[in-house]
Amino acid sequence: MSMARAAEPPGIAAGINQIEGYLLLQTERDAARERARRLTARLDWLTSAQRAEVERLYLQDQLAVTEQTLRKVVRRCEELRAEYQEVYRTLRRRLLLVCLLGAATLAGGFATALTVR
């Protein structure tokens, strides 16, 4: 998700993601159709009905592969998000600890300086 999208309400970001997914799927469907046409064009012995059936089956197979691939990508993105969130939480805790220790050290130094006088 981009920085601009992070500031959007969740409903808008989800809607944009759905539109992007739809457009991606339509682009892949068009590309798969073209690949099917190129394949059947080389098989000049096919009848029109056979050509249409081969194109339909090829398109169906390609879209199934695309769906599987996209699901794997989504799963991996979710895994990476969880990993990065955990790393971020760990770094935030460490930074807080360093700040608290630094503040305690400064407070101790000031207290020592004031008692020495």
Side-chain angles (χ1 to χ4, degrees):
M1 188 179 326
S2 69
M3 292 295 288
R5 232 184 254 166
E8 295 171 350
I12 292 174
I16 290 172
N17 286 339
Q18 285 181 329
I19 291 169
E20 286 178 343
Y22 174 80
L23 292 174
L24 176 66
L25 183 60
Q26 292 305 309
T27 300
E28 177 53 30
R29 181 171 284 143
D30 292 343
R33 259 193 209 104
E34 182 56 35
R35 289 191 303 270
R37 285 187 194 116
R38 284 195 314 255
L39 172 68
T40 58
R42 295 187 310 224
L43 305 174
D44 55 357
W45 46 268
L46 291 175
T47 66
S48 295
Q50 290 170 332
R51 185 178 313 278
E53 181 65 6
V54 168
E55 288 178 9
R56 186 187 69 75
L57 291 172
Y58 184 90
L59 178 62
Q60 183 180 1
D61 184 60
Q62 289 294 295
L63 292 177
V65 169
T66 297
E67 182 179 354
Q68 270 184 331
T69 302
L70 289 175
R71 288 186 189 280
K72 286 179 185 177
V73 168
V74 166
R75 216 172 15 257
R76 183 62 183 141
C77 286
E78 290 168 352
E79 290 169 0
L80 287 173
R81 176 180 290 134
E83 289 174 26
Y84 290 145
Q85 285 175 339
E86 183 56 35
V87 167
Y88 177 72
R89 278 192 292 271
T90 300
L91 290 173
R92 236 181 28 207
R93 282 191 297 264
R94 286 180 185 169
L95 179 60
L96 178 62
L97 180 62
V98 166
C99 288
L100 290 174
L101 288 174
T105 302
L106 283 174
F110 285 135
T112 303
L114 290 174
T115 57
V116 171
R117 289 183 164 190

